[in-house]
Amino acid sequence: MHLPTLATLAAMVTVGTAQLTKVNDFPGTPTRLGMYINVPKNLKTPAPIIVAVHHCQGSATGYSQSTKYVQLSNQYGFIAIYPNSRSGGGCFDVASQATLTHNGGGDSQTIVNMVKYAIDKYGGDPTRVFSVGTSSGAMMTNVLMAAYPDVFAAGSVYSGVPAGCFAVQGSTATQDPPGWANSCANGQLTKTAQQWGDLVRSYYPGYNGTRPRMQIFHGTSDNTLRYPNYQEQLKEWSNVLGLTTSTNKANTPKSGWTQTIYGDGTATTAKLVGYSAQGVGHSVPQQEAMDLAFFGIN
């Protein structure tokens, strides 16, 4: 394991009692995203990695302050990576052909390069890489799970849309990153589970390995990325993961929420788990303890 030197570090951003570090020698390729990281003193060997991807009009530092992954990184000894969008609106590219193609470029590959950097530099565990995200970050997490199933073991998404949904609608390719897709955001774009699954599989043709486990949160009163996107995500990943049965449990984990477990297993071991949050808008509040439990970090 190689610890960062002073030459590799930039300004330290205080997050409660923790500090988030900008990595200066990360090249940012191919799309020049900023890389912020927390490498705890009690780092496990090898260390799990959680990538936490912010929402539109957000930032790495802002997301680190509104979530608890940095503090939990210090508690449990995992590496926390916070990518920082380069776009003026703070969104990530989840729609271009490059970002939706394995090793095709785009923001998705830049984030994967952050993971590889953390594995090489800080002793990250390549078998225990996870991603969480909110809104645009949830969309990116879905994209990462779809295009890079060889890198990520699991994802947890808060108020997102299916992988490829913005591209299917046809956003403006000349925008950087590609622009907003109204029909998808409004929950008007529906496909069969097979169609969604085929779309995901097209992002890494020929891949026959294990697919990431997925945990999906969505609020019924979401007026930004509307609630039908919840079922579309579940359809997508149930097909990708080969799951055909599901079980609902009301008022779980809290009143008004409905938990759906696909296939066998529990909320922490199943391949696909969904949470519908009655009356919750955009976005569902982060459930960090549930994320760590789903990822098997303890």
Side-chain angles (χ1 to χ4, degrees):
M1 178 181 70
H2 302 283
L3 294 176
T5 64
L6 289 177
T8 70
L9 306 181
M12 305 293 285
V13 180
T14 300
V15 184
T17 59
Q19 289 182 319
L20 193 66
T21 301
K22 186 178 188 298
V23 183
N24 271 346
D25 66 350
F26 174 69
T29 55
T31 60
R32 304 186 309 280
L33 301 181
M35 178 181 180
Y36 289 75
I37 197 166
N38 185 68
V39 182
K41 294 179 180 178
N42 64 331
L43 188 69
K44 289 185 176 179
T45 306
I49 298 171
I50 293 182
V51 179
V53 194
H54 66 75
H55 48 80
C56 289
Q57 300 177 335
S59 66
T61 55
Y63 199 48
S64 71
Q65 292 163 357
S66 64
T67 58
K68 300 176 182 177
Y69 302 110
V70 172
Q71 294 92 325
L72 291 168
S73 164
N74 291 331
Q75 181 178 350
Y76 291 100
F78 65 85
I79 296 168
I81 297 173
Y82 283 81
N84 193 72
S85 171
R86 64 191 172 88
S87 72
C91 301
F92 291 92
D93 170 16
V94 296
S96 72
Q97 183 177 358
T99 207
L100 290 169
T101 302
H102 183 79
N103 291 338
D107 285 352
S108 64
Q109 188 172 6
T110 304
I111 292 173
V112 166
N113 287 341
M114 293 179 190
V115 170
K116 294 178 178 178
Y117 181 101
I119 291 169
D120 292 340
K121 285 281 188 176
Y122 309 119
D125 185 347
T127 69
R128 302 182 71 194
V129 180
F130 313 99
S131 180
V132 301
T134 296
S135 192
S136 179
M139 298 187 217
M140 175 53 72
T141 294
N142 274 323
V143 168
L144 292 170
M145 300 303 117
Y148 294 92
D150 56 329
V151 174
F152 293 90
S156 183
V157 298
Y158 292 83
S159 309
V161 304
C165 189
F166 266 33
V168 169
Q169 193 267 352
S171 52
T172 306
T174 56
Q175 289 182 270
D176 189 17
W180 196 255
N182 285 326
S183 68
C184 176
N186 291 334
Q188 298 165 334
L189 181 57
T190 61
K191 300 175 84 65
T192 66
Q194 183 69 41
Q195 288 172 329
W196 282 124
D198 288 345
L199 199 62
V200 167
R201 286 181 285 270
S202 74
Y203 300 149
Y204 191 176
Y207 178 76
N208 293 314
T210 302
R211 294 282 177 172
R213 299 167 59 238
M214 292 297 297
Q215 181 174 250
I216 299 171
F217 297 86
H218 216 104
T220 63
S221 298
D222 193 327
N223 291 323
T224 301
L225 298 174
R226 293 184 180 271
Y227 184 64
N229 282 300
Y230 174 61
Q231 290 298 333
E232 297 304 303
Q233 289 175 89
L234 292 176
K235 285 158 61 177
E236 180 173 73
W237 290 109
S238 64
N239 180 267
V240 171
L241 294 166
L243 304 169
T244 57
T245 62
S246 61
T247 304
N248 294 334
K249 189 174 182 180
N251 298 314
T252 304
K254 58 183 70 179
S255 178
W257 289 35
T258 300
Q259 175 196 78
T260 302
I261 295 178
Y262 282 75
D264 299 326
T266 67
T268 57
T269 64
K271 291 182 180 180
L272 175 61
V273 183
Y275 293 95
S276 172
Q278 182 65 38
V280 176
H282 193 77
S283 300
V284 175
Q286 220 84 15
Q287 307 294 312
E288 292 93 344
M290 292 175 65
D291 291 337
L292 262 62
F294 188 74
F295 298 156
I297 296 177
N298 50 42

